[in-house]
Amino acid sequence: MHSGMNDDMQQQPVPAGAKKTTAEIHDRVNARLKAQLGQDAFASWFGRMQIDEIGRGTVRVSVPTAFLKTWIRSHYADALAAIFAEEVPGTLRVDVAVRSAVRGASLPSPVADDPAGAAQAAPMSTKAAEGSPRQAERDAARPSGGAAEFGSPLDGRYLFSNFVEGAANRVALAAAKAVAENGPQSVRFNPLFIHASVGLGKTHLLQAIANACVAREDRPRVVYLTAEYFMWRFATAIRDNQALSFKENLRGIDILVIDDMQFLQGKSIQQEFCHLLNALIDSARLVVAAADRPAHELESLDPRVRSRLAGGVGIEMAAPDFDMRKGILEARIQQMHAEDPSFRIESGTVETIARRVVGSGRDVEGAFNQIAFRHSVGQPLSPEHLDDLLNSITRTGGEKRVRVEDILRFVSRHYNVSKTDILSARRTRTVVRPRQIAMYLAKTMTPRSLPEIGRRFGGRDHTTVLHAVRKIEAERAGDPKLGEELDLIRRMIEE
Ligand SMILES: Nc1ncnc2c1ncn2[C@@H]1O[C@H](COP(=O)(O)OP(=O)(O)OP(=O)(O)O)[C@@H](O)[C@H]1O
């Protein structure tokens, strides 16, 4: 797990009463962003950010391209606003603008409350940036860290090298590797469709393909996204009159990797997706997709999309056996140990978890994450607690498992905010609060890791999720009313 939050907290405070200069603030904000995101992601998205103005509760920053602005607004609005609020007490909003070619002039647009208006002020195709905007957008979209243009950022930890192979996934892994090796020339496996029940490694494998493709020498344009993200981006593009550039952008890519196809809904969106699928496959671009069931069983899908997906190579992954489960645990322990050398876990505990948690890779990781989380807050699990934990994980198998999707639905209903708002970059309190509660519930009711939850919440960083979980946990401890409210929502979701 990335330890950004901890690094971040180690920063030296400026003595009370001392007024920081803009340059000092910029340095501190940069240091925090680097600590949270890692050097590569920081350099890609914030390396060219400038602070233009600070005052009256507003910080104005600028970046050289509309693409960077859009990306920062949709992926890092929360992180940026939270950091500025800490560094510049009294900050209520952060405006991100595109720097004009004329030195110093910029086109402001709020990061928080009016994404639609903001996007219209400087659409992606606006020639407002210095140099060649298209080129700058491409450069920004191809950071050395491997994030792909337009889609969700890739998680650098999902690699072939730490994907544990076993009888359950051998064929899928071989196909995935072949696809990554041949890149856009993988016509034999086009589209490659991987299906498996929850938590069996679809996302890991898809991202491993995308990560490997991004690193190829022929530098294909790779887009990884979930069906939900596709829907959200498409809806936003229509609202912002950017549907054309949205389509153009996607049709120009070489490899599309799309996850969670079972969530693709809506007639016009499916139509659009079908056009995209046809355009890509017919022009020999590679499509890799995944869902929780075989393509022909995806009943909510438009029959044309279904048949196009079923016309490629479909491969199933099954549940991991004991050796695979042990392998997954060992891989996670190794990773954790590299980040925090003080991290220890008894070998007997590893065997116990692998023996008792017979579900998916996620269940195995869920048990591990709980143990790691306790370790990180200085409260290691005692043997009895481990037993309780394993009992609760093995009890909540199969159909009764709570999904982030269910949590989002109930929270949005309970607080009367739309799911789109919860997933958006909006930072008004009426949206932020339910979002944090939903994140807290996702962490405590599902075995998903912080980065996974971040991805489900509109591609947010795991530190944003951690912040939300800690905040709600702390408030809950001092506010019995909040405790009751959370229990009520929890019961509704479980029922
Ligand atoms: N074979 C494996 N090797 C290493 N890690 C694995 C393997 N299978 C699953 N995992 C881990 O388990 C967790 C869940 O896997 P992943 O998110 O890829 O599942 P999924 O099939 O996409 O689930 P969902 O359908 O719920 O999104 C991930 O952290 C992943 O790294």
Side-chain angles (χ1 to χ4, degrees):
M1 206 174 298
H2 192 265
S3 57
M5 208 67 175
N6 297 337
D7 304 348
D8 174 17
M9 284 165 176
Q10 282 159 11
Q11 236 193 343
Q12 290 304 309
V14 166
K19 198 161 164 23
K20 289 177 260 182
T21 64
T22 302
E24 276 166 353
I25 291 169
H26 197 177
D27 285 349
R28 291 176 63 85
V29 167
N30 279 352
R32 281 176 170 242
L33 285 167
K34 258 182 233 169
Q36 283 192 16
L37 312 177
Q39 175 62 36
D40 285 346
F42 166 81
S44 302
W45 309 120
F46 293 100
R48 291 179 288 169
M49 180 179 86
Q50 288 176 8
I51 299 181
D52 293 339
E53 201 181 329
I54 298 178
R56 294 186 301 279
T58 302
V59 173
R60 288 183 57 182
V61 299
S62 63
V63 287
T65 73
F67 176 83
L68 278 178
K69 184 198 75 172
T70 309
W71 189 274
I72 290 172
R73 277 182 33 228
S74 59
H75 291 80
Y76 298 112
D78 283 356
L80 201 59
I83 288 175
F84 270 113
E86 283 197 46
E87 289 300 334
V88 187
T91 298
L92 300 173
R93 58 189 277 153
V94 179
D95 286 352
V96 182
V98 178
R99 270 196 295 284
S100 143
V102 182
R103 234 178 121 68
S106 58
L107 310 167
S109 61
V111 96
D113 298 335
D114 182 18
Q120 274 162 357
M124 271 161 97
S125 56
T126 300
K127 293 203 183 297
E130 59 202 21
S132 149
R134 287 300 298 169
Q135 191 51 46
E137 284 169 14
R138 275 163 210 262
D139 290 349
R142 287 184 167 165
S144 49
E149 182 171 2
F150 187 81
S152 309
L154 294 175
D155 189 328
R157 287 163 308 173
Y158 286 142
L159 301 169
F160 285 132
S161 57
N162 59 9
F163 189 78
V164 177
E165 184 175 351
N169 60 24
R170 192 155 288 131
V171 180
L173 179 59
K177 282 186 171 166
V179 154
E181 232 161 71
N182 294 316
Q185 275 76 48
S186 299
V187 272
R188 270 198 311 141
F189 296 123
N190 204 9
L192 173 63
F193 185 85
I194 292 173
H195 67 98
S197 182
V198 290
L200 295 185
K202 298 182 292 293
T203 300
H204 188 140
L205 198 57
L206 256 57
Q207 291 226 13
I209 295 174
N211 274 317
C213 287
V214 163
R216 287 172 56 89
E217 276 186 2
D218 53 354
R219 313 254 297 151
R221 298 174 68 198
V222 185
V223 164
Y224 166 86
L225 34 72
T226 64
E228 277 174 312
Y229 188 69
F230 176 85
M231 292 183 332
W232 182 66
R233 283 300 300 256
F234 185 54
T236 314
I238 290 180
R239 188 194 61 191
D240 298 346
N241 294 325
Q242 291 183 353
L244 207 63
S245 69
F246 173 87
K247 291 180 203 176
E248 275 174 7
N249 265 327
L250 274 176
R251 289 191 190 169
I253 65 176
D254 300 307
I255 300 175
L256 173 68
V257 183
I258 183 157
D259 207 350
D260 287 333
M261 283 298 297
Q262 69 274 13
F263 294 132
L264 194 71
Q265 280 162 7
K267 204 160 177 267
S268 57
I269 284 174
Q270 297 222 21
Q271 252 171 20
E272 197 48 52
F273 185 74
C274 193
H275 291 319
L276 172 65
L277 211 55
N278 289 337
L280 292 177
I281 297 173
D282 294 344
S283 58
R285 321 283 177 85
L286 178 64
V287 176
V288 181
D292 65 355
R293 66 203 83 167
H296 65 267
E297 284 178 23
L298 287 167
E299 274 144 21
S300 62
L301 279 199
D302 182 301
R304 283 165 303 178
V305 177
R306 221 184 304 157
S307 92
R308 195 81 221 219
L309 289 176
V313 177
I315 301 175
E316 183 175 9
M317 291 198 292
D321 56 20
F322 173 80
D323 287 337
M324 269 179 76
R325 297 196 296 270
K326 203 165 152 229
I328 293 172
L329 278 170
E330 280 161 356
R332 293 290 285 118
I333 291 166
Q334 227 175 32
Q335 198 178 346
M336 189 72 188
H337 195 72
E339 287 167 19
D340 173 6
S342 75
F343 183 75
R344 294 261 174 287
I345 183 166
E346 310 273 324
S347 65
T349 308
V350 175
E351 298 260 333
T352 308
I353 299 173
R355 195 164 23 82
R356 299 229 351 234
V357 182
V358 292
S360 65
R362 175 170 302 112
D363 292 331
V364 173
E365 287 214 327
F368 173 83
N369 286 338
Q370 301 266 10
I371 294 168
F373 186 65
R374 301 293 177 116
H375 180 89
S376 73
V377 292
Q379 294 175 350
L381 271 189
S382 64
E384 309 86 73
H385 278 117
L386 175 67
D387 203 48
D388 286 350
L389 172 71
L390 295 181
N391 280 339
S392 80
I393 289 173
T394 44
R395 253 200 321 270
T396 53
E399 297 302 298
K400 283 193 176 157
R401 192 188 305 271
V402 172
R403 301 178 317 163
V404 174
E405 186 60 24
D406 302 325
I407 294 173
L408 283 169
R409 201 174 65 242
F410 276 92
V411 168
S412 105
R413 209 183 290 163
H414 187 80
Y415 291 100
N416 201 21
V417 290
S418 73
K419 198 181 117 187
T420 314
D421 273 346
I422 294 183
L423 300 185
S424 75
R426 288 179 60 116
R427 290 194 39 84
T428 45
R429 189 174 155 77
T430 48
V431 177
V432 170
R433 177 85 177 158
R435 183 185 296 140
Q436 289 178 334
I437 285 180
M439 286 179 174
Y440 167 80
L441 291 170
K443 183 69 206 135
T444 51
M445 294 185 76
T446 79
R448 291 194 182 259
S449 63
L450 297 171
E452 273 189 290
I453 295 171
R455 270 197 296 284
R456 302 269 145 175
F457 280 75
R460 290 179 153 80
D461 192 75
H462 74 278
T463 50
T464 309
V465 184
L466 182 61
H467 172 73
V469 174
R470 286 188 170 153
K471 185 158 188 284
I472 300 297
E473 218 154 32
E475 276 182 37
R476 179 188 188 144
D479 179 359
K481 272 214 160 117
L482 177 62
E484 282 168 23
E485 194 174 325
L486 291 174
D487 287 342
L488 173 73
I489 303 175
R490 195 185 283 271
R491 274 201 305 278
M492 288 193 310
I493 294 170
E494 278 167 353
E495 277 161 23

